[in-house]
């Protein structure tokens, strides 16, 4: 069982490794799911890229708008004596999200206002930069009358929540792609199985016809007139043609068998007449001066008897082929074998003929055919056994079987002929 399981596993692995060996429904499902995967990847990648760009642009626009508002409402006043002062609304009103930070510097770079600005750094230049996980926008503060730069304002927000949102979007897109591919694969298998159902029915019918060899059976009717229906109709026409050809052949063979049987039967009458005349002629040639004529008659008689046996064999085979064998009935095989032995006794000559047949053996069969079988075996032993040899006829019962055994101490059957002796 382990060896069979390993063999089945190896066969399955070879099939999986070679897609051309897959069933049609698997190949259709693989193609449909592959196309769906490619389409979803292109579509999902495009949508994901557009969404990512849009989210980042909106985030950057929010930061840029916030820093522009701050630069328009805040002012840094630098007195001649003392520290610079920040004039404007409270910075806390601009830092509503927890991830937002604001810092205001004077023109020398000193901090004059701060709200969660520990990660913003120095205002090295005007513009946008990303550092410490934050998006930072720097804008110049200037005197609206003179245009002189009075300081700088920095506004920054963490990019963590933007990155998390983008990651979730890509995760959803990936899950959608995998889910869509799986659904496409399942749908492909279901559709292919439904489409292949008529072909499976045709295959099953063809297998049954192959096993039974009954070409008179019909293929299942196609549900619709499509390619499968055309295939079913073609197979049906082929079966009808084969059935017609087989019927014609059976009729011709039956006629041939009946002819051979009738011809063999008709040949027995003239052969019987020839044998009777030859035997009468043989009996009338008893004088010494008729020795030469007697030898010719003996030769003709032997040939006629051999021909009679051949015609009898031909008649038996022809009747078997034509279905004319005798009906079987209960009979005593021991009695039949005894009669055949009595008939074969004159053929034994100087050979020792031993018979072991001491009890009845009731069997179901044709008495004439069983008699002929035993007689043929004994005749064969007599013809192929030298003078002085021993020929034994033994009958025995082994379970539900009756055994007839003819044995001799002759040269035996050549090894090359042992597989053909009962043909």
């Amino acid at each position: 069982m382990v060896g069979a399981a390993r063999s089945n596993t190896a066969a399955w692995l070879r099939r999986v490794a070679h897609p051309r060996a897959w069933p049609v429904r698997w190949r259709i499902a693989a193609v449909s799911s592959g196309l769906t995967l490619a389409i979803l990847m292109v579509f999902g990648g495009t949508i994901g890229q557009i969404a990512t760009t849009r989210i980042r642009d909106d985030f950057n626009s929010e930061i840029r708008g916030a820093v522009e508002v701050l630069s328009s409402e805040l002012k840094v006043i630098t007195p001649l004596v003392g520290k610079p002062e920040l004039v404007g609304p409270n910075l806390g009103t601009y830092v509503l999200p927890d991830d937002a930070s604001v810092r205001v510097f004077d023109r020398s770079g000193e901090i004059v206002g701060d709200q969660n600005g520990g990660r913003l750094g120095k205002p090295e230049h005007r513009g946008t930069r990303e550092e410490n996980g934050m998006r930072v926008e720097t804008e110049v503060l200037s005197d609206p009358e003179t245009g002189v730069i009075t300081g700088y304002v920095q506004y920054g927000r963490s990019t963590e929540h933007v990155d998390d949102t983008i990651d979730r979007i890509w995760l959803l897109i990936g899950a959608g792609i995998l889910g869509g591919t799986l659904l496409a694969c399942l749908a492909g298998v279901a559709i292919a199985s439904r489409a292949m159902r008529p072909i499976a029915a045709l295959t099953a019918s063809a297998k049954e016809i192959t096993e039974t060899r009954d070409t008179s059976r019909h293929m299942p009717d196609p549900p619709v007139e499509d390619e499968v229906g055309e295939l079913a109709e073609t197979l049906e026409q082929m079966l009808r043609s084969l059935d017609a050809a087989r019927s014609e052949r059976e009729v011709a063979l039956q006629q041939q068998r009946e002819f051979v049987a009738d011809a063999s039967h008709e040949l027995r009458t003239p052969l019987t007449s020839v044998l009777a005349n030859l035997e009468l002629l043989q009996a009338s040639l008893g004088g010494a001066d008729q020795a030469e004529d007697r030898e010719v008659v003996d030769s003709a008689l032997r040939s006629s008897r051999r021909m009679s046996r051949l015609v009898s064999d031909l008649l038996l085979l022809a009747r078997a082929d034509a279905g004319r064998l005798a009906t079987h009935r209960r009979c005593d095989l021991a009695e039949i074998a005894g009669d055949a032995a009595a008939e074969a006794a004159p053929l034994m000559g100087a050979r020792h003929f031993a018979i072991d047949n001491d009890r009845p053996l009731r069997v179901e069969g044709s008495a004439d055919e069983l008699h002929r079988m035993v007689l043929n075996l004994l005749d064969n032993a007599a013809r192929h056994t030298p003078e002085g040899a021993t020929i034994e006829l033994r009958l025995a019962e082994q379970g539900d079987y009756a055994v007839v055994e003819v044995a001799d101490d002759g040269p035996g059957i050549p090894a090359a002929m042992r597989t053909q002796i009962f043909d």
Side-chain angles (χ1 to χ4, degrees):
M1 294 179 64
V2 175
R6 290 178 178 175
S7 177
N8 294 334
T9 303
W12 182 83
L13 291 176
R14 286 195 299 269
R15 173 176 289 186
V16 172
H18 297 83
R20 291 185 178 180
W22 293 1
V24 175
R25 59 175 63 89
W26 290 10
R27 281 183 278 171
I28 293 176
V31 171
S32 63
S33 59
L35 290 175
T36 303
L37 176 62
I39 293 172
L40 291 178
M41 287 184 66
V42 173
F43 182 76
T46 303
I47 296 300
Q49 189 63 39
I50 293 174
T52 299
T53 303
R54 182 61 181 270
I55 291 173
R56 291 193 183 278
D57 289 344
D58 290 345
F59 180 69
N60 296 337
S61 298
E62 290 178 5
I63 296 176
R64 183 64 187 168
V67 79
E68 288 179 353
V69 171
L70 287 170
S71 65
S72 64
E73 296 184 0
L74 296 176
K75 294 181 180 180
V76 177
I77 299 175
T78 304
L80 295 176
V81 178
K83 295 182 178 180
E85 296 180 2
L86 177 63
V87 178
N90 185 9
L91 295 179
T93 60
Y94 295 96
V95 190
L96 295 179
D98 295 336
D99 58 350
S101 302
V102 177
R103 258 186 183 178
V104 181
F105 301 87
D106 63 7
R107 59 187 177 185
S108 63
E110 295 296 329
I111 300 174
V112 294
D114 186 285
Q115 187 70 34
N116 299 332
R119 294 190 297 170
L120 294 179
K122 294 291 184 179
E124 299 176 356
H125 53 80
R126 179 182 179 182
T128 306
R129 72 180 188 275
E130 291 188 11
E131 59 179 321
N132 299 325
M134 298 189 69
R135 177 85 174 182
V136 181
E137 188 78 26
T138 303
E139 186 59 57
V140 175
L141 299 177
S142 59
D143 190 337
E145 296 179 356
T146 62
V148 176
I149 295 175
T150 59
Y152 304 91
V153 59
Q154 284 185 335
Y155 179 83
R157 287 178 61 182
S158 173
T159 60
E160 182 177 357
H161 74 284
V162 176
D163 294 336
D164 290 342
T165 301
I166 293 174
D167 291 342
R168 285 194 295 271
I169 290 175
W170 282 109
L171 180 62
L172 290 175
I173 291 175
I177 291 174
L178 292 178
T181 303
L182 179 60
L183 290 177
C185 182
L186 295 177
V189 171
I191 294 173
S193 298
R194 185 178 181 85
M196 295 296 294
R197 197 173 300 162
I199 297 181
L202 293 177
T203 303
S205 299
K207 286 183 178 179
E208 291 179 2
I209 293 173
T210 301
E211 292 173 356
T212 60
R213 296 186 178 183
D214 184 8
T215 56
S216 63
R217 302 184 62 174
H218 295 272
M219 302 300 291
D221 294 330
V224 293
E225 295 182 358
D226 55 3
E227 290 82 357
V228 178
E230 184 178 356
L231 175 61
E233 184 177 356
T234 302
L235 291 176
E236 180 66 21
Q237 293 175 356
M238 181 184 68
L239 281 176
R240 299 287 68 76
S241 299
L242 291 175
D243 187 44
R246 181 177 182 177
S247 299
E248 294 176 359
R249 185 187 63 182
E250 288 296 332
V251 170
L253 288 176
Q254 184 64 24
Q255 292 176 348
Q256 181 180 357
R257 294 188 192 103
E258 293 178 354
F259 171 77
V260 173
D262 294 339
S264 301
H265 179 72
E266 293 299 327
L267 283 174
R268 298 186 68 181
T269 300
L271 281 175
T272 303
S273 176
V274 170
L275 283 172
N277 292 329
L278 287 175
E279 288 173 354
L280 290 174
L281 183 60
Q282 183 185 45
S284 64
L285 297 177
D289 57 340
Q290 297 176 325
E292 184 176 353
D293 294 337
R294 182 179 179 84
E295 183 179 352
V296 173
V297 172
D298 290 344
S299 176
L301 189 58
R302 286 194 299 270
S303 298
S304 298
R305 287 172 178 170
R306 186 167 61 253
M307 182 178 295
S308 179
R309 289 195 299 270
L310 291 176
V311 170
S312 297
D313 292 340
L314 182 60
L315 178 61
L316 177 65
L317 294 175
R319 285 179 173 176
D321 287 341
R324 299 184 185 177
L325 289 177
T327 56
H328 290 187
R329 58 181 177 82
R330 296 289 292 178
C331 56
D332 186 2
L333 181 60
E335 181 181 355
I336 294 171
D339 293 341
E343 185 176 344
L347 303 175
M348 299 302 170
R351 301 169 185 83
H352 177 64
F353 187 26
I355 301 176
D356 183 5
N357 183 15
D358 56 356
R359 59 175 179 172
L361 284 178
R362 307 297 297 180
V363 297
E364 190 81 19
S366 171
D368 293 338
E369 294 170 9
L370 292 173
H371 180 277
R372 185 174 187 82
M373 177 193 71
V374 177
L375 184 61
N376 283 343
L377 292 175
L378 294 174
D379 177 67
N380 183 74
R383 285 190 286 113
H384 296 282
T385 304
E387 296 287 340
T390 300
I391 298 176
E392 297 179 87
L393 171 62
R394 296 191 289 266
L395 277 78
E397 183 177 354
Q398 294 182 0
D400 296 334
Y401 295 93
V403 179
V404 178
E405 183 178 2
V406 175
D408 59 61
D409 53 5
I413 301 172
M417 295 294 295
R418 290 175 185 175
T419 57
Q420 307 175 19
I421 57 176
F422 291 107
D423 289 349

